[in-house]
């Protein structure tokens, strides 16, 4: 690979291509999963997202042992340090042209390319200086380059990381881009894979020995011992980590991407009936004032429980009636605080803005606990309520959000069309697209038809 980079960086744009049997596909340019021809039509956000990804040139070459085309290491050569589309694409286009030049002249990543290297530099010397350091045979237009023989000895990559070392490297990168809660689950799934691998092989093997079949076997193991949903989530996390290794040129391909996703029935809390909600809230009002206000934030502000857990005193702008929420789908989103919530709050003016709004024993206090522990605290509080009412696993704190959105949507629908109601609701719930909101409403059965008895015979 280092010799290929040297050739790519120095080869002249030599345009006379020689015909030869194709043992490769590409090279192609990856531009952040967007059509570069439609760049001018993209939004600013879409452009920024594309530029935040790794751009590179990639190609495949026929493995002499298997006869199959194999994806080779992505070629970046520092292109992602360039900040504009024009700079990146211009450099990648040059790399693409130069790589095609070399491939057509017999470059073979599985072979010794010293002959090609010598001839290439001789031609460069001839063009740049008008002389050559050694005689160069004059090329005939249709002369075929002899196929280079592949050495029988196995190619050994110096300083190649083991599977465990590579995965630990990937985890360090992911730790810097994921939130604490997301990383905790991600880290756990990756470590469980490594533990399984040591029982069924060895994580000390070189990363190049890791095959798609290994991932398939592990995902089947997860499916047999847990659920299709957990298997799919494990596949997603493994794919994310392997893609990080591919982007950092520790692996050639992300095999996990091509593994199928299984059908699974997602578990979603049910909505409460009118009677259930009334009885539960009356009981909590008599027994736990902090839990009651916690649920009212879910109900009146349509927040997810995890979003309520993250609220700090400084996140509430009572004068401007604004709430700054750390959501799952973007860093911070702003929601209005309805007057109904403001009327329920104690005086927050003298409280530390860095203290959490909800703690086990007080509103607005210091609480040194991980996010998972803060979430579990309120889940356990509500578990006592569930036990009192003999509610099963289908009901939870999330049910209050589903119930509130269902009630609000049906109330708006009394005077508005379905489309108008969804447009109003979208600004309240925080869903990013109308399609996402519609899917959510279908999942919680928020929209039911009118009584159709008159249609029955």
């Amino acid at each position: 690979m280092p010799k290929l980079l040297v050739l790519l960086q120095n080869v002249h744009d030599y345009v006379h291509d020689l015909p030869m049997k194709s043992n490769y596909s590409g090279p192609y340019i990856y531009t952040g999963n967007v059509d570069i021809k439609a760049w001018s039509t993209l939004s600013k956000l879409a452009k920024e997202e594309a530029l935040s990804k790794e751009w590179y040139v990639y190609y495949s070459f026929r493995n002499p042992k298997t006869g199959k085309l194999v994806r080779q290491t992505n070629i970046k050569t520092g292109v992602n340090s360039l900040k504009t589309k024009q700079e990146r694409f211009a450099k990648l286009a040059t790399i693409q042209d130069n790589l095609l030049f070399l491939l057509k002249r017999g470059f073979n990543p599985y072979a010794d390319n010293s002959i090609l290297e010598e001839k290439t530099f001789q031609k460069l010397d001839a063009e740049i200086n008008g002389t050559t350091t050694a005689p160069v045979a004059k090329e005939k237009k249709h002369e075929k380059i002899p196929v280079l023989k592949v050495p029988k000895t196995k190619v050994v990559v110096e300083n190649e990381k083991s599977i465990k070392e590579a995965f630990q490297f990937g985890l360090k990168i992911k730790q810097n881009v994921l939130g604490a809660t997301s990383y905790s689950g991600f880290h756990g799934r990756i470590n469980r894979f490594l533990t399984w691998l040591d029982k069924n092989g060895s994580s000390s093997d070189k990363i190049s020995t890791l095959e798609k079949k290994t991932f398939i076997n592990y995902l089947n193991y997860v499916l047999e011992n847990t659920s299709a949903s957990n298997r799919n989530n494990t596949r997603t996390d493994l794919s994310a980590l392997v893609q990080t290794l591919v982007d950092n040129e520790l692996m050639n391909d992300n095999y996990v991407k091509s593994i199928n996703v299984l059908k699974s029935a997602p578990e979603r809390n049910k909505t409460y009936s009118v009677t259930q909600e009334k009885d539960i809230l009356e009981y909590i009002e008599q027994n736990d004032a902090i839990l009651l206000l916690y649920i009212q934030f879910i109900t009146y502000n349509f927040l997810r429980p995890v979003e309520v857990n993250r609220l700090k005193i400084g996140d509430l702008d009572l004068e401007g009636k604004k709430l700054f929420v750390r959501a799952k789908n973007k860093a911070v989103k702003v929601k209005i605080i309805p007057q109904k919530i403001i009327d329920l709050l104690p005086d927050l003016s003298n409280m530390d803005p860095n203290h959490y709004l909800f703690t086990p024993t007080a509103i607005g206090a210091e609480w040194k606990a991980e996010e998972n522990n803060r979430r579990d605290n309120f889940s356990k509080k509500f578990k006592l309520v569930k036990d009192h009412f003999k509610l099963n696993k289908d009901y939870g704190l999330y049910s209050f959000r589903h119930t509130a959105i269902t009630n609000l949507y049906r109330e708006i629908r009394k005077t508005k069309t379905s489309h108008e109601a969804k447009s109003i609701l979208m600004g309240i719930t925080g869903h990013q697209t109308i399609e996402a909101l519609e899917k959510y409403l279908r999942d919680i059965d928020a929209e039911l038809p009118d009584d159709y008895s008159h249609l029955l015979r």
Side-chain angles (χ1 to χ4, degrees):
M1 187 64 193
K3 287 188 177 180
L4 170 58
L5 292 178
V6 171
L7 288 167
L8 283 172
Q9 291 164 2
N10 292 281
V11 70
H12 187 270
D13 186 15
Y14 209 84
V15 296
H16 303 295
D17 296 330
L18 297 176
M20 62 175 292
K21 184 178 178 180
S22 177
N23 280 322
Y24 57 87
S25 68
Y28 308 105
I29 298 177
Y30 176 77
T31 56
N33 205 31
V34 299
D35 182 0
I36 201 71
K37 294 179 182 177
W39 186 267
S40 60
T41 65
L42 298 178
S43 66
K44 182 180 179 181
L45 182 62
K47 291 177 180 178
E48 290 175 352
E49 184 178 356
L51 287 169
S52 70
K53 297 178 180 178
E54 297 286 314
W55 291 26
Y56 50 82
V57 171
Y58 64 100
Y59 72 107
S60 297
F61 201 92
R62 199 172 303 282
N63 187 305
K65 292 183 179 180
T66 65
K68 295 181 180 179
L69 288 172
V70 177
R71 173 81 172 264
Q72 302 299 309
T73 303
N74 299 332
I75 303 168
K76 302 173 187 176
T77 63
V79 70
N80 293 297
S81 63
L82 302 175
K83 302 301 181 185
T84 67
K85 180 270 287 187
Q86 290 82 0
E87 292 175 311
R88 283 196 193 183
F89 191 74
K91 185 168 183 178
L92 288 173
T94 300
I95 295 172
Q96 181 187 41
D97 290 343
N98 293 342
L99 177 55
L100 184 60
F101 169 89
L102 293 171
L103 288 168
K104 288 188 175 182
R105 277 151 187 79
F107 175 80
N108 185 335
Y110 297 96
D112 179 3
N113 294 285
S114 56
I115 297 175
L116 176 61
E117 183 181 353
E118 182 182 356
K119 291 178 68 176
T120 300
F121 283 113
Q122 286 173 352
K123 288 176 186 176
L124 289 174
D125 185 64
E127 291 202 10
I128 296 170
N129 302 316
T131 60
T132 59
T133 56
V136 180
K138 185 178 180 181
E139 284 192 82
K140 294 181 181 179
K141 192 172 183 179
H142 299 292
E143 182 183 357
K144 291 187 178 180
I145 300 281
V147 177
L148 299 173
K149 292 183 179 180
V150 179
K152 293 183 180 179
T153 55
K154 185 177 180 180
V155 177
V156 178
V157 179
E158 293 184 7
N159 301 320
E160 182 182 357
K161 291 182 183 292
S162 68
I163 297 171
K164 187 173 184 177
E165 289 171 337
F167 273 49
Q168 288 174 340
F169 171 83
L171 283 172
K172 285 182 180 178
I173 292 178
K174 285 297 182 183
Q175 189 172 16
N176 293 324
V177 297
L178 295 176
T181 303
S182 298
Y183 178 74
S184 176
F186 183 88
H187 179 267
R189 285 197 174 99
I190 300 305
N191 277 344
R192 285 192 287 275
F193 169 72
L194 292 174
T195 301
W196 174 88
L197 189 60
D198 280 330
K199 292 180 180 178
N200 296 270
S202 175
S203 63
S204 298
D205 292 343
K206 297 299 183 184
I207 188 65
S208 60
T209 65
L210 193 55
E211 298 177 335
K212 180 179 178 180
K213 184 65 176 174
T214 305
F215 292 114
I216 293 174
N217 289 339
Y218 178 66
L219 291 175
N220 287 337
Y221 165 80
V222 174
L223 177 63
E224 290 170 8
N225 290 276
T226 57
S227 65
S229 177
N230 187 40
R231 181 264 188 197
N232 289 341
N233 290 335
T234 300
R235 173 196 169 277
T236 299
D237 285 353
L238 283 171
S239 179
L241 187 94
V242 171
Q243 188 58 51
T244 298
L245 301 185
V246 171
D247 292 342
N248 286 275
E249 301 186 356
L250 295 179
M251 291 183 70
N252 288 331
D253 199 4
N254 186 352
Y255 313 115
V256 189
K257 269 186 181 179
S258 60
I259 299 176
N260 65 312
V261 178
L262 299 182
K263 277 190 174 182
S264 64
E267 295 183 5
R268 185 180 289 276
N269 290 151
K270 290 182 179 178
T271 56
Y272 293 113
S273 67
V274 174
T275 302
Q276 280 179 319
E277 185 179 30
K278 179 176 177 293
D279 292 344
I280 291 171
L281 293 178
E282 286 180 353
Y283 176 81
I284 295 174
E285 185 176 12
Q286 296 169 8
N287 292 278
D288 195 332
I290 294 175
L291 180 59
L292 178 64
L293 184 59
Y294 181 94
I295 290 172
Q296 287 168 330
F297 261 78
I298 295 174
T299 303
Y300 300 144
N301 257 113
F302 306 98
L303 298 178
R304 301 174 179 87
V306 67
E307 294 170 346
V308 180
N309 291 331
R310 294 169 180 162
L311 289 177
K312 295 185 177 181
I313 298 298
D315 294 327
L316 282 73
D317 175 10
L318 299 184
E319 186 176 346
K321 292 188 175 182
K322 292 178 183 177
L323 186 66
F324 299 90
V325 183
R326 295 170 185 84
K328 70 172 186 177
N329 47 7
K330 60 180 180 178
V332 175
K333 65 180 179 182
V334 182
K335 304 191 74 170
I336 67 163
I337 307 178
Q339 188 62 44
K340 198 163 188 175
I341 281 285
I342 295 176
D343 294 340
L344 296 170
L345 286 169
D347 183 10
L348 306 180
S349 58
N350 295 319
M351 294 185 181
D352 189 328
N354 293 313
H355 283 173
Y356 285 102
L357 179 63
F358 291 100
T359 72
T361 57
I363 298 295
E366 186 177 13
W367 190 7
K368 293 181 179 179
E370 295 293 330
E371 186 171 284
N372 281 338
N373 295 332
R374 297 200 306 274
R375 180 185 61 193
D376 290 345
N377 172 78
F378 285 98
S379 295
K380 288 174 182 176
K381 277 174 171 279
F382 189 66
K383 178 68 165 57
L384 299 175
V385 179
K386 287 179 59 174
D387 291 344
H388 175 80
F389 287 95
K390 296 181 172 58
L391 296 172
N392 60 26
K393 66 177 183 178
D394 293 332
Y395 295 94
L397 288 168
Y398 229 119
S399 295
F400 288 104
R401 183 173 189 263
H402 301 332
T403 303
I405 292 176
T406 298
N407 293 340
L408 180 61
Y409 178 68
R410 290 176 181 172
E411 186 65 29
I412 298 173
R413 281 287 282 119
K414 290 179 181 179
T415 57
K416 303 291 183 181
T417 66
S418 174
H419 181 73
E420 289 172 333
K422 290 170 185 174
S423 297
I424 295 171
L425 194 62
M426 184 176 165
I428 297 173
T429 64
H431 286 88
Q432 296 298 297
T433 64
I434 199 72
E435 291 79 10
L437 175 61
E438 287 174 340
K439 182 180 184 304
Y440 174 78
L441 293 175
R442 286 195 300 271
D443 288 343
I444 64 174
D445 296 320
E447 185 165 32
L448 298 174
D450 296 330
D451 185 357
Y452 49 85
S453 297
H454 64 287
L455 301 175
L456 301 176
R457 293 185 181 180

